[in-house]
Amino acid sequence: MSILKRPIVTEKMTGLNKQGKYAFEVDLKANKLEIGKAIEKMYGVNVESVNTIRVFGKRRSKNINGRVVSGKTPTTKKAIVTVAEGEVIDIYADL
């Protein structure tokens, strides 16, 4: 099972790329040390710091043929990785 699931490419995260910060969706059980080592191994950069965020799932409901169907979106974990100054991660090469 891979620690890194996918890079997060949004307008806000693209703005942080200029500061050397990149965002990834990671496994819920991964810790900061494991995430940093996985980034260094996959992209060949030096990681200075890793910040993690848990995004809890939300309740959703919708009407289907007069019935209410409810459920929940999954809980995810994000990691914002800061790389050493002058180093760049080319996220678009992996997409």
Side-chain angles (χ1 to χ4, degrees), residues 46-87:
N46 293 322
V47 174
E48 288 186 351
S49 67
V50 177
N51 296 339
T52 58
I53 305 161
R54 289 188 64 176
V55 181
F56 294 99
K58 297 179 182 178
R59 294 203 161 273
R60 302 283 182 180
S61 61
K62 59 184 175 179
N63 290 321
I64 298 177
N65 295 334
R67 292 181 293 142
V68 176
V69 178
S70 62
K72 186 173 176 257
T73 60
T75 299
T76 60
K77 187 173 189 177
K78 297 179 189 178
I80 299 176
V81 179
T82 305
V83 297
E85 190 172 334
E87 294 187 352

Side-chain angles (χ1 to χ4, degrees), residues 2-9 22-28 30 35 39 53 55 74-81:
S2 177
I3 293 174
L4 302 175
K5 292 185 179 181
R6 65 182 180 94
I8 299 173
V9 182
Y22 299 90
F24 295 90
E25 184 177 330
V26 296
D27 185 36
L28 280 173
I35 294 167
I39 296 287
I53 305 161
V55 181
T75 299
T76 60
K77 187 173 189 177
K78 297 179 189 178
I80 299 176
V81 179

Side-chain angles (χ1 to χ4, degrees), residues 5-44:
K5 292 185 179 181
R6 65 182 180 94
I8 299 173
V9 182
T10 61
E11 193 171 339
K12 189 173 186 177
M13 289 297 119
T14 304
L16 288 177
N17 290 351
K18 297 173 186 170
Q19 300 174 10
K21 296 183 180 184
Y22 299 90
F24 295 90
E25 184 177 330
V26 296
D27 185 36
L28 280 173
K29 296 180 182 178
N31 61 32
K32 292 182 180 185
L33 295 175
E34 293 171 343
I35 294 167
K37 288 178 184 178
I39 296 287
E40 288 178 350
K41 183 180 177 184
M42 181 174 266
Y43 294 104

